[in-house]
Amino acid sequence: GGIANYLRTMGVLSALHLSTRRALSTSAESVRRGILCVKTTFNNTIVTLTRENGDVMAWASGGTAGFKKSKRKSALAATTALDVIVGRAKSLSIGSLVVRMSGPGRVHRELLTRCAASGIRIDAIQNVTPRPHNGCRRPKARRV
């Protein structure tokens, strides 16, 4: 979408392509591709690094990065948590990531720019924010 085009125009992201999913063994040395799940809320940002089958390898948030109370929702806290996870991904020798973003996107662009500049290739960017298909039934109209 728009964020991918933005990164492509900056020259950070060369091309987006999806490759077929393949099963990975359980040893950490064989992991070459991971999924970076970023959940942003109005109060915090949680960054999770998983294998392709969904097994969590590492996670960090604005709170675990050392920020307290209202500072957890800042872009600095989110990028600090992302730097922790990117360092962990490099130590696990992960070469490429699929980035899945969810939640209100106040810091999405900054996180993607930081992730792309880290040296790990981004295979795909997905927005997985849950959307209601019509939601719950509305309450009955009030009779006065």
Side-chain angles (χ1 to χ4, degrees):
I3 295 175
N5 291 334
Y6 169 74
L7 289 175
R8 199 174 293 124
T9 57
M10 288 179 49
V12 175
L13 192 64
S14 58
L16 290 177
H17 65 278
L18 289 171
S19 62
T20 57
R21 295 182 70 167
R22 59 175 194 234
L24 294 171
S25 66
T26 57
S27 65
E29 293 83 17
S30 67
V31 177
R32 296 285 175 243
R33 184 172 179 203
I35 299 173
L36 187 75
C37 301
V38 179
K39 180 182 179 185
T40 58
T41 63
F42 292 112
N43 296 320
N44 204 353
T45 301
I46 301 170
V47 184
T48 310
L49 179 67
T50 67
R51 290 189 171 96
E52 285 187 304
N53 61 359
D55 294 341
V56 175
M57 292 189 280
W59 68 273
S61 66
T64 61
F67 295 89
K68 301 294 179 197
K69 297 192 179 181
S70 65
K71 294 182 183 74
R72 287 184 307 204
K73 62 184 169 187
S74 67
L76 178 64
T79 53
T80 305
L82 180 76
D83 290 340
V84 170
I85 293 300
V86 166
R88 180 81 174 122
K90 286 182 179 179
S91 69
L92 291 170
S93 69
I94 290 180
S96 63
L97 290 173
V98 174
V99 181
R100 292 184 180 163
M101 300 271 192
S102 75
R106 296 194 329 188
V107 296
H108 285 186
R109 183 164 291 189
E110 293 148 24
L111 288 176
L112 280 175
T113 307
R114 178 70 67 99
C115 186
S118 69
I120 298 178
R121 194 180 81 199
I122 298 176
D123 285 341
I125 301 169
Q126 301 168 349
N127 187 0
V128 292
T129 305
R131 302 289 224 127
H133 288 285
N134 208 5
C136 301
R137 183 178 175 135
R138 297 186 64 123
K140 291 195 303 185
R142 216 171 136 239
R143 282 180 263 174
V144 180

